Amino acid sequence: MTQDASATAAKKLFIKTYGCQMNVYDSQRMAEAMASEGYELTEDQSQADMVLLNTCHIREKAAEKLYSDLGRLKPLKAERPDLKIGVAGCVAQAEGEEIVRRMPLVDLVVGPQTYHRLPAMLRGEAPAILTEFPPEDKFDHLPERRATRRAPAAFLTVQEGCDKFCAFCVVPYTRGAEVSRPVDRILREARDLVARGVREITLLGQNVNGWHGEGEGGEWGFGRLIRALAEIDGLDRIRYTTSHPNDMADDLIEAHRDIPQLMPYLHLPVQSGSDRILKAMNRKHTADQYLRLIDRIKTARPDILLTSDFIVGFPGETDQDHADTLRLIEQVGFGTAFSFKYSPRPGTPAYDRPEVDGAVADARLQELQALLNRQQKAAQQSMLGRTLGVLFEKPGREPGQMVGKSDYLHSVFVEAPEAQIGDLVQVRIVESAPNSLRGELVG
Ligand code: 5AD
Ligand code: SF4
């Protein structure tokens, strides 16, 4: 490379994303914003001119990862003092300047609602620590979507924040109050993604099914939004995450019945199967109400695969409460689920409540995960012999192999030497491995 060429070469940006899919989306948008400053993404941290850590605050372990990763960056920063280090996401929001106090090597701290100002922060035209909830909408100040990577499946944030205030959860504090993006912006972004080759969109929101907005003919609910998206030519698959049971409105359940592009998959966190604990968690529904909701959803879409989140060892949880949770899991039958040991989060209502003994919580978590693992295996086994759509997302482990997601979001490995990324093919499922399926092309 000549000297001139290296002077104009793009600067390299390394982004590490922790936590949820919302963060994955935000990282993409931050990368797009930084492209206007001449940065392009690198997978190699040691080559980076800037390292951006997009953090998660949901559990203590997730938050602590930031500090261990920053510790590991010290030698790189010592070697290359020009290296910029930024912290984004929910730890940035929650801890703000405390991060710089604890780790002076950090140059920038930016919360989830202010990252459109990253380029200005980098140029020194905005404060180096920005964690307010600004009056302007960041989406109005971000560049239009660009395909940063060729990928047929994309995320699209339609809603942010949460007003539910579950007693254990930091989201209402780190992400703020519920805000729905307007219909026209969402449809425009979706059409734009499809024009760039995207065939599957996952709509994101902390409480995505609480989305509402002013559309043609008046106020739209989330089901109506999905109907409008399904009219976009070339958008073959629609998914959404994550939902609250109390916002599963009739029009959304009907969308699962009527709209073939809406995939037969629903992540519907319940957290616990005990009414006492659900009440202490401020979930505002009972186990029975959840079960009746599931019945209605299954009536609308009998083959739907359900997944959920569970918290084990919430303050006050007894053996009986735990048994109630196991019974609910047995009754529903989940395709898979995330389960976590309760982690007290500063600032949340449950923070000061007496904790369940750690060993007891560990044992309950193991028991619950063993049951969920059995259900996951059974759900995968039930796919054997079936012919399903699979959208190829990348090459598989072996030459000539592709991997993609089935309608039910299982990873499926397929021998398909002629196929391209972005092909949506029919596959007969022939084998179930621990975390994936294997299938053969049909026809
Ligand atoms: N401790 C453990 N798990 C938590 N979650 C949220 N807050 C906590 C916490 N304090 C889990 C919930 C939620 C998922 C995203 O993370 O199950 O649905
Ligand atoms: Fe947190 Fe979800 Fe409860 Fe909102 S609904 S407070 S995001 S767990």
Side-chain angles (χ1 to χ4, degrees), residues 21-95:
Q21 285 150 323
M22 196 76 118
N23 270 9
V24 174
Y25 175 86
D26 287 341
S27 290
Q28 286 167 1
R29 303 287 317 241
M30 286 192 268
E32 290 162 7
M34 295 292 287
S36 65
E37 295 298 296
Y39 280 87
E40 67 181 32
L41 282 176
T42 176
E43 309 261 310
D44 181 356
Q45 182 171 281
S46 67
Q47 295 300 311
D49 300 286
M50 176 164 184
V51 172
L52 192 56
L53 305 172
N54 190 12
T55 58
C56 172
H57 202 239
I58 199 101
R59 285 169 292 278
E60 192 181 358
K61 262 196 203 147
E64 277 308 314
K65 268 195 208 137
L66 167 67
Y67 290 104
S68 55
D69 283 350
L70 285 173
R72 274 198 289 274
L73 278 169
K74 276 182 188 162
L76 197 61
K77 179 90 173 181
E79 200 182 294
R80 302 210 337 257
D82 287 350
L83 174 72
K84 294 260 181 275
I85 297 180
V87 177
C90 291
V91 180
Q93 187 63 44
E95 299 195 356

Side-chain angles (χ1 to χ4, degrees), residues 58-59 168-169 269 271 309-311 340-343 345:
I58 199 101
R59 285 169 292 278
F168 50 81
C169 184
Q271 315 296 355
D309 291 340
F310 293 92
I311 294 180
F340 313 98
K341 188 164 135 178
Y342 169 68
S343 167
R345 306 307 291 131

Side-chain angles (χ1 to χ4, degrees), residues 162-166 168-172 206-207 244 271 283:
C162 185
D163 296 341
K164 293 276 191 279
F165 291 93
C166 298
F168 50 81
C169 184
V170 289
V171 166
Q206 263 89 30
N207 192 19
H244 193 289
Q271 315 296 355
R283 292 289 292 180

Side-chain angles (χ1 to χ4, degrees), residues 59-167:
R59 285 169 292 278
E60 192 181 358
K61 262 196 203 147
E64 277 308 314
K65 268 195 208 137
L66 167 67
Y67 290 104
S68 55
D69 283 350
L70 285 173
R72 274 198 289 274
L73 278 169
K74 276 182 188 162
L76 197 61
K77 179 90 173 181
E79 200 182 294
R80 302 210 337 257
D82 287 350
L83 174 72
K84 294 260 181 275
I85 297 180
V87 177
C90 291
V91 180
Q93 187 63 44
E95 299 195 356
E97 58 195 38
E98 169 69 13
I99 296 173
V100 183
R101 208 189 50 74
R102 213 168 134 183
M103 287 285 178
L105 81 172
V106 172
D107 300 287
L108 302 172
V109 177
V110 65
Q113 299 311 331
T114 33
Y115 65 72
H116 56 295
R117 304 198 63 200
L118 258 177
M121 293 167 79
L122 212 66
R123 292 195 299 265
E125 293 164 12
I129 299 175
L130 267 184
T131 55
E132 80 269 33
F133 291 97
E136 79 266 18
D137 179 352
K138 66 170 177 272
F139 294 114
D140 290 341
H141 298 268
L142 284 165
E144 294 277 296
R145 301 303 316 268
R146 296 185 324 129
T148 40
R149 210 180 274 177
R150 286 176 59 79
F155 292 133
L156 197 172
T157 292
V158 301
Q159 180 278 332
E160 285 190 286
C162 185
D163 296 341
K164 293 276 191 279
F165 291 93
C166 298

